[in-house]
């Protein structure tokens, strides 16, 4: 059975993952308002991943006999001063999440909760990828600067990210063309 300290920390992490979901949806709305629909699409696909992250912790707590206690979510920004600022926020947010995952690993080790190791190792790996991707795109946006054709090129490229099959965030799932 999972201990109370780790249960509490994982419940907190469910909140952070749902806030990630919310943040990426908020950034998607901002990009749509700027006609950067490819970037908005990328953010929605990312939001889908964040919901999966939240559910991994949700199921783990339940499977280990703990109690899931959902918490209030923070209100995110709805406006950014530039495309670059929005991507920088996403990158910074991923660094914050990595820190939280490291905190969970420390608690699990201190409490000798070996059963959570595979899940937390998966998240540690996932964060390497999430940070690397957000950092790379932020660098690219920084490189194109004020060049509108460069931005358009990146927007088209980011539109290529596939939605996981059956994603409720895929406009095809609710009969919309993106
Ligand atoms: Fe859940 O990895 Fe991003 O936030």
């Amino acid at each position: 059975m999972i201990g109370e300290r780790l249960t509490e920390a994982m419940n907190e992490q469910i909140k952070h993952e749902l806030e990630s979901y919310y943040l990426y949806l908020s950034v998607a709305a901002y990009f749509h308002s700027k006609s950067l629909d490819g970037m908005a699409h990328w953010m929605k696909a990312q939001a889908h991943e964040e919901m999966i992250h939240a559910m991994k912790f949700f199921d783990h707590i339940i499977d280990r006999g703990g109690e899931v206690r959902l918490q209030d979510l923070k209100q995110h920004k709805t406006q950014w001063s530039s495309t670059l600022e929005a991507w920088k926020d996403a990158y910074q947010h991923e660094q914050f999440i990595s820190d939280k995952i490291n905190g969970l690993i420390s608690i699990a080790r201190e409490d000798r909760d070996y059963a959570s190791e595979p899940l937390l190792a998966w998240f540690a790996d996932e964060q390497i990828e999430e940070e690397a991707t957000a950092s790379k795109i932020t660098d690219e946006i920084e490189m194109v600067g004020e060049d509108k054709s460069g931005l358009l090129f990146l927007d088209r490229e980011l539109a290529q990210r596939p939605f996981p099959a059956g994603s409720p965030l895929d406009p095809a799932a609710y009969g919309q063309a993106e």
Side-chain angles (χ1 to χ4, degrees):
M1 185 168 178
I2 191 166
E4 183 48 34
R5 196 159 78 117
L6 196 54
T7 300
E8 187 55 38
M10 285 194 178
N11 269 303
E12 184 79 15
Q13 192 61 27
I14 291 174
K15 171 178 127 83
H16 294 315
E17 300 293 346
L18 291 175
E19 284 175 348
S20 303
Y21 168 84
Y22 226 39
L23 170 66
Y24 289 126
L25 269 192
S26 192
V27 180
Y30 167 73
F31 284 150
H32 274 310
S33 77
K34 299 278 161 208
S35 297
L36 291 167
D37 293 340
M39 293 191 192
H41 162 94
W42 192 98
M43 286 290 165
K44 287 184 197 163
Q46 185 60 33
H48 175 100
E49 279 203 12
E50 300 302 347
M51 182 58 79
I52 290 174
H53 294 174
M55 293 315 295
K56 278 180 181 276
F57 283 111
F58 185 105
D59 285 351
H60 185 81
I61 295 171
I62 301 279
D63 290 347
R64 304 274 319 281
E67 187 188 8
V68 168
R69 301 182 284 265
L70 296 181
Q71 304 171 15
D72 288 351
L73 303 184
K74 176 172 97 185
Q75 171 69 50
H76 282 294
K77 277 159 82 166
T78 54
Q79 286 300 322
W80 284 263
S81 63
S82 65
T83 306
L84 179 61
E85 193 201 24
W87 280 102
K88 276 186 174 168
D89 270 10
Y91 177 40
Q92 221 172 53
H93 182 75
E94 287 309 329
Q95 291 172 298
F96 165 79
I97 294 290
S98 298
D99 194 50
K100 292 291 164 193
I101 298 294
N102 290 338
L104 283 170
I105 293 170
S106 299
I107 294 173
R109 285 187 182 162
E110 281 164 26
D111 293 0
R112 298 177 170 210
D113 191 300
Y114 302 119
S116 65
E117 270 181 18
L119 176 78
L120 294 174
W122 184 90
F123 271 100
D125 270 355
E126 178 73 3
Q127 282 311 119
I128 294 174
E129 191 192 311
E130 301 244 318
E131 275 195 44
T133 307
S135 161
K136 179 173 173 284
I137 300 171
T138 304
D139 284 351
E140 288 173 348
I141 303 281
E142 207 150 21
M143 265 184 252
V144 302
E146 296 302 309
D147 173 12
K148 295 234 177 348
S149 56
L151 200 60
L152 200 59
F153 175 82
L154 282 178
D155 190 61
R156 299 236 162 109
E157 192 175 86
L158 293 170
Q160 301 311 311
R161 180 176 181 174
F163 268 115
S167 172
L169 294 169
D170 182 351
Y174 48 93
Q176 294 280 322
E178 207 171 15

